[in-house]
Structure formats: C-alpha cells, structure tokens
Amino acid sequence: MPQTPPEDVRILLFDVFGTVVDWRSSVAREVAPFLARHAPGVDPTGFAVAWRRRYQPAMEAVRSGARPFTRLDILHRENLEGVLQESGLDPAAIDAAELDQLNKAWHRLDPWPDSVAGLARLKQRFLIAPLSNGNIALMLNLAKRAGLPWDAILGAEVARAYKPSPAAYLNTAEILGLAPGQCMLVAAHNNDLAAARRAGFRTAFVPRPTEHGPGQKTDLAPEQDWDAVAESFPALADRLGCPG
Amino acid sequence: MPQTPPEDVRILLFDVFGTVVDWRSSVAREVAPFLARHAPGVDPTGFAVAWRRRYQPAMEAVRSGARPFTRLDILHRENLEGVLQESGLDPAAIDAAELDQLNKAWHRLDPWPDSVAGLARLKQRFLIAPLSNGNIALMLNLAKRAGLPWDAILGAEVARAYKPSPAAYLNTAEILGLAPGQCMLVAAHNNDLAAARRAGFRTAFVPRPTEHGPGQKTDLAPEQDWDAVAESFPALADRLGCPG
C-alpha cells in the first residue's frame, strides 16, 4: 500500500462530519438544554443519532434529481421537524426562532482532539479545505469556533452537488483549476474515498473508531489500498512528509 | 461620519485587486520576462495597465446578461490575447502553455505592506473573506502565496455575479446566512462601496493612493460618509476596536 502520495498533490480536501469533528457528542450536547425544556424523557444522544439518520435520505432527493440543489442548513431544518415529531413533539407548537437556533447545533461541532494541530502541519505543505456536504455558512461558523485553519471553504454548496455524486469531486477540481489527481480526499469513510477514487482523486483514510459511539462496526479499517492510511491527522502529516 | 460599526457586523468582506494587493506592479513584474523574450520594446507596466483596461468591459458582458457567468481566469485569458495583439504580437504564434502560465500572473500579486498584519488583527474580531471578482482558484493561490489569512474564499464565482451587480453582495450575504447589515465591505474604490451600501452592507474605505501609479486622480478620498475610513488595515483594526 503506497503511503506517500505523488509529488503532484496540491490540495487536501477533507470530509468533515465524523472525520474532522465529532458530530455525535457535539449535537447531543447542543440539543440537551432544548430537550430538558420540551421533552425531558428524550435522550440527547438518541435524538442526535435520529437527526443524523435523516441526513442521507434528504440528500438523496437532490442527488437523484428529484429536488434542485438545496443547502444542508435547509435539509437539517426539515429533518429537525421530522425528528421532533418522531420524538412526540409538535414542531408547530415551538417558537420558530428557537428551532432555527437549535438547527445551528451543526455549526457548533467540536473537532477531534488531534484535528487542529494536524491541520496546521498539513497546511504547511498543502492547500487544505473542507469538501463536506455541509454548506458554506455551516462550515465557516464551525471552523471559526473550532479554530480549523482552512485555506478556503469548498464543498457541496460550491460544487452544487452532494457527495458521493461524481460531480461533487469533479466540479471541485475544476473550480480549483487542478486535475483530479492533484487533489487528495481525507476521510474516515470508505464509501466517500471510493467515490473520490472513481473521480480520479488521491485518497487518505483516517479511521475515527468512536464516531458512532461504543460498538462501532463500520469504517474501522481500510476497504481498499488507499494512497495513505493514518490513525490521526498528525500521523497523516508524518506520512505525507509535512514539517513537524 | 460614524467611525465605529454597529455591534452586529459579523464579517468583513474585502475587495482585493487594489485594496488588498498591488496588482499593477505585481503584474508588471510577472510579465517582464515574457516581454523580454517576445517583445523587448513593450513596457511591462504599460502592458499590465492595458491588460487591466479590458477587465471591466469583459465582466460587463456577464453583468448585462449577454454572456453566462464566466470565471475571471477565463476572461483574463481572453483579454491577454487582446492585449498581445494590441502590442503587435500574434497569440497563435506563442505556445499555449506559456500563455496559460502568463495568465497566472494574476495569481501572484503582492499584498500592500500593511495587508497581512492588518488582516490578522481584524480576524480576531470578525470573520474575514475576499468579496472579489477574482475566481476561487485565483483568490486561493494568491492568498496562499501572500499569506492572507482568510476564513473563507467568497466572491463573484460563489455568488455567480460580478460586482457591482447587486446580486454579488446580496447572494453573498444570503449564502452566509446573514442580513446585509451584518456584512461590511472594505474597499479602496468608492463605486464598489456605493453598490455595497445600496445592497444594505456596511462600508469601510481604505484609500490606496498608488494603485494606479504616480499621479492617481481617483479614489483618493471618500465620496460618501462611509461607516469607517482608515488609511491602512491596521488603522481600520483600530477603528473597529480589534485587539492589537
């Protein structure tokens, strides 16, 4: 398995939810005060997981062409109403401004402990940017709060396509004026890396074995011979020859 | 003239060509070796100014609706062929790869001496991003080379509209999830600020009296009561209450 990328990689593009930040415990923390007020019996982590469960189906409506491109903040807001109903709450009975504020839980996700230090090292050798399905405002607010030192905010809203659609990767490379092979996706998810590789990207796998909590069964190991595999962002910086 | 913005400004959006970077002397420097090879009699600064003269007419074709949105790298490349012909050179007789490389002169512009230090201070209190007519790749490469510490790369390509069209400002605010009044444009050009103000933005004027070389006649003074006026980015940081 080649552990050093070709010399011509210019930019590292990062999956964010799960790879750079811990969405599960962060969303649970953010929804806890809301649930304590409105539904004291509902478990915050369960609520976070149920909210996230609606993420792929909502994007699939866009990927399939059934719906025009719609940014993730809007999909999250729709999904929030669904999960509230699922939890026995009537969204129409709650102040809309309070729900808008709750929806911004996704703008306040904590990075994994190694993310910021690893990105700072990787940035010394490469351009670094998110290639997330999160929209620009979400990614920008999240980065400012967490101190993620991106060179740019790219992703689905810029490419006008949700991963793993090929256009999400190909449009990003085209916008950057780069060949796909000059772009490397860094992700904790084998399916994201597989789609990036099909688009011609280089690939780096950084497993996040607690993304889904204790007992996680998926994405614990590489499913293909990704160009790089590392257990953390600083370890990836070592693999890619970045200064310490 | 109010010198302190309302507390609700969240992001400073910057004009770049002329406001953050010195395009004129930088492009002259970048074209000089090319001209020495192909047209030793042509003055590099004159060539830079002639290239820039084609900038507004090219964007006007997009603003008027005569042409779909086309990123600036492509307009610059077309304009380069025009200015080569104007200089007595046949673009078809020159290797296309050499012209592509020359076109990237606009990715290698030097910041004004105060830009980087001022942005670093402004970034401590505000989100900061370019709102330039330059495309994403151009702005990203320019920022990486010059060390401009942007939080995001915004601008015409993200908004799908060229300044001073209202959509360039309004779409940017909408993408950010902000009201126009939460956005402040920082620019050395009164007409850019006037358009931003019409869109509801706050405004800051930082004159750059040598942008057009010695004898500059325009944009030496504010033409309206802009929300802030400062002679440099660090002075703007002082006005806006940013930590030293």
Side-chain angles (χ1 to χ4, degrees):
Chain A
M1 189 186 310
Q3 289 284 315
T4 303
E7 284 303 302
D8 59 358
V9 168
R10 290 284 314 285
I11 189 164
L12 304 182
L13 293 155
F14 291 75
D15 174 63
V16 173
F17 300 127
T19 301
V20 180
V21 300
D22 175 8
W23 62 266
R24 183 174 167 278
S25 71
S26 302
V27 173
R29 177 198 64 220
E30 292 288 328
V31 302
F34 174 89
L35 292 173
R37 279 196 300 279
H38 293 282
V42 177
D43 171 54
T45 299
F47 190 93
V49 170
W51 200 353
R52 177 74 172 181
R53 201 175 292 133
R54 293 169 177 266
Y55 170 70
Q56 288 297 344
M59 292 186 297
E60 190 53 32
V62 173
R63 288 190 289 247
S64 71
R67 182 176 187 177
F69 185 83
T70 305
R71 69 173 62 107
L72 191 61
D73 272 342
I74 296 172
L75 302 181
H76 272 154
R77 184 68 169 76
E78 296 172 357
N79 293 348
L80 174 58
E81 305 215 354
V83 74
L84 286 170
Q85 287 168 329
E86 193 180 304
S87 308
L89 289 165
D90 176 11
I94 301 168
D95 186 57
E98 188 177 2
L99 295 185
D100 290 344
Q101 180 60 18
L102 182 61
N103 196 48
K104 291 202 174 148
W106 295 92
H107 294 217
R108 295 186 293 266
L109 307 181
D110 291 342
W112 297 111
D114 62 86
S115 292
V116 173
L119 289 175
R121 284 184 58 199
L122 292 162
K123 184 174 178 165
Q124 293 180 58
R125 176 158 172 188
F126 301 96
L127 293 163
I128 61 169
L131 175 41
S132 165
N133 284 332
N135 53 295
I136 294 171
L138 188 166
M139 281 294 133
L140 177 57
N141 292 335
L142 187 159
K144 192 75 169 184
R145 177 182 174 281
L148 307 176
W150 303 126
D151 287 306
I153 303 289
L154 302 173
E157 190 176 12
V158 178
R160 312 299 289 177
Y162 278 118
K163 297 186 297 180
S165 296
Y169 311 94
L170 294 171
N171 292 355
T172 298
E174 197 267 339
I175 286 165
L176 290 166
L178 296 176
Q182 295 177 291
C183 304
M184 175 178 271
L185 185 75
V186 181
H189 307 129
N190 284 284
N191 72 325
D192 197 357
L193 295 171
R197 174 173 274 183
R198 283 193 295 273
F201 276 38
R202 296 284 165 171
T203 51
F205 179 65
V206 180
R208 296 301 194 180
T210 64
E211 175 187 357
H212 297 286
Q216 178 168 328
K217 299 275 192 304
T218 57
D219 289 321
L220 297 172
E223 294 172 4
Q224 294 188 37
D225 60 334
W226 307 124
D227 296 299
V229 176
E231 72 276 15
S232 68
F233 286 3
L236 181 63
D238 291 340
R239 298 280 186 292
L240 301 182
C242 297
Chain B
M1 190 187 308
Q3 288 286 312
T4 305
E7 286 302 304
D8 59 358
V9 169
R10 291 283 314 283
I11 188 164
L12 304 181
L13 292 155
F14 290 76
D15 174 64
V16 174
F17 300 128
T19 300
V20 180
V21 300
D22 175 8
W23 61 267
R24 183 173 168 277
S25 70
S26 302
V27 173
R29 176 198 65 222
E30 292 289 327
V31 302
F34 173 89
L35 292 173
R37 279 196 299 281
H38 293 283
V42 176
D43 170 53
T45 299
F47 190 93
V49 170
W51 199 354
R52 177 76 172 180
R53 199 175 292 133
R54 293 169 178 267
Y55 171 69
Q56 289 296 342
M59 292 187 296
E60 189 53 31
V62 174
R63 287 190 290 247
S64 71
R67 182 176 187 178
F69 186 82
T70 306
R71 69 173 62 109
L72 192 62
D73 272 343
I74 296 172
L75 302 182
H76 273 155
R77 185 68 168 75
E78 295 172 357
N79 293 347
L80 174 59
E81 305 216 354
V83 73
L84 287 170
Q85 288 169 326
E86 192 181 303
S87 308
L89 290 165
D90 176 10
I94 302 169
D95 185 56
E98 186 176 2
L99 295 185
D100 291 343
Q101 179 60 19
L102 182 62
N103 196 47
K104 291 204 175 148
W106 295 93
H107 295 216
R108 295 186 294 267
L109 308 181
D110 291 342
W112 297 112
D114 64 86
S115 292
V116 174
L119 289 175
R121 284 185 57 199
L122 292 162
K123 184 175 179 165
Q124 295 180 57
R125 176 156 173 186
F126 300 97
L127 293 163
I128 60 169
L131 175 41
S132 164
N133 284 332
N135 51 298
I136 294 171
L138 188 165
M139 281 294 133
L140 177 58
N141 292 335
L142 187 158
K144 192 77 168 182
R145 177 182 174 281
L148 306 177
W150 303 126
D151 287 305
I153 303 289
L154 302 173
E157 190 175 13
V158 179
R160 310 301 288 177
Y162 279 119
K163 296 187 299 178
S165 295
Y169 311 94
L170 294 172
N171 292 356
T172 298
E174 197 267 338
I175 286 164
L176 290 166
L178 297 175
Q182 295 178 289
C183 304
M184 175 178 270
L185 184 76
V186 181
H189 308 128
N190 284 284
N191 71 324
D192 197 355
L193 294 171
R197 174 173 275 183
R198 284 192 296 272
F201 276 37
R202 296 282 164 172
T203 52
F205 179 66
V206 180
R208 296 300 194 181
T210 63
E211 175 186 357
H212 297 286
Q216 179 168 326
K217 299 276 195 302
T218 58
D219 288 320
L220 296 173
E223 294 173 2
Q224 294 187 36
D225 60 333
W226 307 124
D227 296 298
V229 175
E231 73 275 14
S232 69
F233 286 2
L236 181 63
D238 291 339
R239 298 280 186 293
L240 300 183
C242 297

